[in-house]
């Protein structure tokens, strides 16, 4: 598995990470198999959130990871906080610190390698966030920080007072949900793809040395339900993915991830499969080299038009 530099921190991690959102549906034995498979195939970065399974995903992971006896410093654990499900977003100092303490307990670890603010909170007081980050960083409980689903100005507002670098922005991105790429192709146009929905977050992230972590890399997107694999609205895309996958001897999922990895922004896709065989197959994306022509062919096959 190839490594990437998270932000410009010198923190080297696998270019594919495993999201643990669905681990709450697994037995202890199944969770152990998932973690073991991920590590054996080169994944050393695991993405959590305090709300996944209302905490049970972290709890199941923590117990399984400890039983496996994998050295803590050989992997990186990331968690997120700020969502109070169905109620509000809460970036208060009290909530951030309490959330991290809960995650550490459930994960059975003394620290997390990264903490992300989970979606924006319009009532956020940046100074409060800065106090929480300082306290957690000084105590050695959080080593690095970032955000999720935030636009450039929201990041800049935080950077005004937060002293630690913001290394990561977790954003939805896939072959069929790529508004940040679409807008870049359609500059100075009057069509729908030219609309900038996210403040040019792709270019901003590259300029600011923030690693984009694409989430839901297989979701159909654009209001469509399910995965784009075998989706009736994406026949041409599936034919193109299957042709390239067959040519390169890898799975369809590996090609979809390789498309993200081919972008020079050096992204770190988050895959959420809890199927060990599928995880192993996805990891082969790290060895796939898509040509420029193949990248564009996949983009166009997803229904995109170049101006």
């Amino acid at each position: 598995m190839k490594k990437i530099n998270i932000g410009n921190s010198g923190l080297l991690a696998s270019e594919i990470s495993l999201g643990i959102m669905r681990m709450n549906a697994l037995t202890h034995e199944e969770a152990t198999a998932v973690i073991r498979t991920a590590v054996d195939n080169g994944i050393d970065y695991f993405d959590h959130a305090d709300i996944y399974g209302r905490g049970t995903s972290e709890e199941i992971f923590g117990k399984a990871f400890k039983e496996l006896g994998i050295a803590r410093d050989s992997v990186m654990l990331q968690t997120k906080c700020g969502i109070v499900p169905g109620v509000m977003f809460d970036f208060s100092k009290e909530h951030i610190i309490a959330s991290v303490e809960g995650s550490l307990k459930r994960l059975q670890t003394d620290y997390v390698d990264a903490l992300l603010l989970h979606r924006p909170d319009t009532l956020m007081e940046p100074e409060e966030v800065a106090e929480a980050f300082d306290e957690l960083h000084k105590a050695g409980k959080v080593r690095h920080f970032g955000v999720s689903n935030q636009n450039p100005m929201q990041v800049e507002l935080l950077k005004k007072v937060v002293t630690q670098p913001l290394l990561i922005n977790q954003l939805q991105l896939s072959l069929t949900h790529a508004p940040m790429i679409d807008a870049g192709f359609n500059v100075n146009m009057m069509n729908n793809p030219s609309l900038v929905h996210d403040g040019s977050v792709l270019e901003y992230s590259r300029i600011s040395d923030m690693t984009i972590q694409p989430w839901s890399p297989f979701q159909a997107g654009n209001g469509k339900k399910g995965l784009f694999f075998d989706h009736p609205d994406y026949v041409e895309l599936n034919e193109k993915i299957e042709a390239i996958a067959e040519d390169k001897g890898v799975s369809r999922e590996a090609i979809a991830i390789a498309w993200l990895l081919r972008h020079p922004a050096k992204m770190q896709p988050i895959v959420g499969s809890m199927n060990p065989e599928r995880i192993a197959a996805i990891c082969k994306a790290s060895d796939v080299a898509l040509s420029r022509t193949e990248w564009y062919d996949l983009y166009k096959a997803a229904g995109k038009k170049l101006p």
Side-chain angles (χ1 to χ4, degrees), residues 1 4 15 21 26 32 38 41 50 59 74 88 97 109 125 128 138 159 182 195 238-239 242 248 263 269 297:
M1 174 80 63
I4 65 166
E15 64 177 353
M21 184 174 71
L26 304 187
T32 300
N41 284 274
D50 58 353
E59 189 175 336
S74 69
M88 61 180 173
I97 291 176
T109 185
E125 298 284 357
E128 249 191 288
K138 184 177 181 179
K159 288 169 68 173
D182 301 339
L195 297 175
N238 277 280
E239 289 175 350
E242 288 168 8
K248 298 186 182 297
H263 198 282
D297 283 348

Side-chain angles (χ1 to χ4, degrees), residues 119 149 170-183 197-198 201-202 212-224 226-228 234 237 256 259-260 267 295 298-299 301-304:
R119 294 193 176 274
N149 306 288
Q170 204 170 98
L171 299 158
Q172 185 176 4
L173 179 63
S174 71
L175 267 162
T176 55
H177 180 88
M180 67 178 74
I181 293 175
D182 301 339
H197 294 278
D198 47 36
V201 71
L202 174 60
I212 292 175
Q213 293 180 336
W215 56 270
S216 288
F218 308 133
Q219 288 297 316
N222 297 320
K224 298 180 174 70
L227 308 181
F228 55 71
Y234 295 109
L237 175 61
W259 185 82
L260 293 168
M267 304 177 195
W295 190 94
L298 287 165
Y299 180 79
K304 313 289 189 178

Side-chain angles (χ1 to χ4, degrees), residues 112-133:
V112 290
D113 297 273
L115 172 69
L116 309 188
L117 295 177
H118 208 173
R119 294 193 176 274
D121 173 17
T122 195
L123 299 184
M124 173 189 74
E125 298 284 357
E127 292 78 9
E128 249 191 288
V129 174
E131 288 178 12
F133 282 11

Side-chain angles (χ1 to χ4, degrees), residues 22-294:
R22 298 180 178 88
M23 189 163 277
N24 64 305
L26 304 187
T27 65
H28 174 71
E29 291 72 21
E30 290 169 336
T32 300
V34 164
I35 298 169
R36 182 77 270 171
T37 299
V39 171
D40 287 348
N41 284 274
I43 291 177
D44 62 13
Y45 204 100
F46 296 90
D47 174 66
H48 297 267
D50 58 353
I51 63 166
Y52 290 166
R54 295 192 178 273
T56 58
S57 291
E58 287 184 330
E59 189 175 336
I60 292 170
F61 179 95
K63 183 178 179 181
F65 184 83
K66 185 174 183 179
E67 184 175 291
L68 283 166
I70 299 169
R72 173 65 183 87
D73 60 3
S74 69
V75 301
M76 279 146 276
L77 303 183
Q78 169 177 287
T79 195
K80 301 184 289 294
C81 72
I83 297 179
V84 182
V87 180
M88 61 180 173
F89 302 114
D90 189 350
F91 287 1
S92 66
K93 178 182 177 181
E94 180 183 19
H95 182 81
I96 292 171
I97 291 176
S99 174
V100 170
E101 294 289 358
S103 289
L104 294 178
K105 183 178 180 179
R106 291 188 292 271
L107 291 168
Q108 300 190 43
T109 185
D110 295 328
Y111 68 96
V112 290
D113 297 273
L115 172 69
L116 309 188
L117 295 177
H118 208 173
R119 294 193 176 274
D121 173 17
T122 195
L123 299 184
M124 173 189 74
E125 298 284 357
E127 292 78 9
E128 249 191 288
V129 174
E131 288 178 12
F133 282 11
D134 284 343
E135 188 170 316
L136 291 166
H137 190 258
K138 184 177 181 179
K141 295 178 179 180
V142 179
R143 296 189 171 180
H144 304 282
F145 298 86
V147 299
S148 77
N149 306 288
Q150 296 200 18
N151 66 38
M153 288 300 99
Q154 289 167 330
V155 175
E156 285 295 313
L157 179 59
L158 275 169
K159 288 169 68 173
K160 182 179 177 181
V161 292
V162 170
T163 58
Q164 297 81 13
L166 298 175
L167 302 179
I168 298 159
N169 197 352
Q170 204 170 98
L171 299 158
Q172 185 176 4
L173 179 63
S174 71
L175 267 162
T176 55
H177 180 88
M180 67 178 74
I181 293 175
D182 301 339
F185 279 129
N186 290 274
V187 172
N188 203 37
M189 305 289 285
M190 295 294 289
N191 53 16
N192 284 337
S194 70
L195 297 175
V196 179
H197 294 278
D198 47 36
S200 299
V201 71
L202 174 60
E203 293 77 16
Y204 173 82
S205 298
R206 296 181 70 180
I207 292 168
S208 304
D209 293 320
M210 292 186 77
T211 295
I212 292 175
Q213 293 180 336
W215 56 270
S216 288
F218 308 133
Q219 288 297 316
N222 297 320
K224 298 180 174 70
K225 295 182 179 180
L227 308 181
F228 55 71
F229 297 122
D230 301 319
H231 197 292
D233 291 345
Y234 295 109
V235 174
E236 183 182 354
L237 175 61
N238 277 280
E239 289 175 350
K240 180 60 66 175
I241 288 175
E242 288 168 8
I244 296 176
E246 183 177 357
D247 178 64
K248 298 186 182 297
V250 297
S251 69
R252 301 180 300 177
E253 292 87 352
I255 295 302
I257 294 299
W259 185 82
L260 293 168
L261 295 177
R262 174 63 177 82
H263 198 282
K266 295 181 173 57
M267 304 177 195
Q268 186 190 38
I270 299 169
V271 298
S273 176
M274 293 288 102
N275 181 310
E277 290 184 4
R278 190 168 293 127
I279 291 169
I282 290 171
C283 286
K284 295 185 184 302
S286 188
D287 299 321
V288 173
L290 291 181
S291 68
R292 180 180 289 264
T293 299
E294 289 169 331

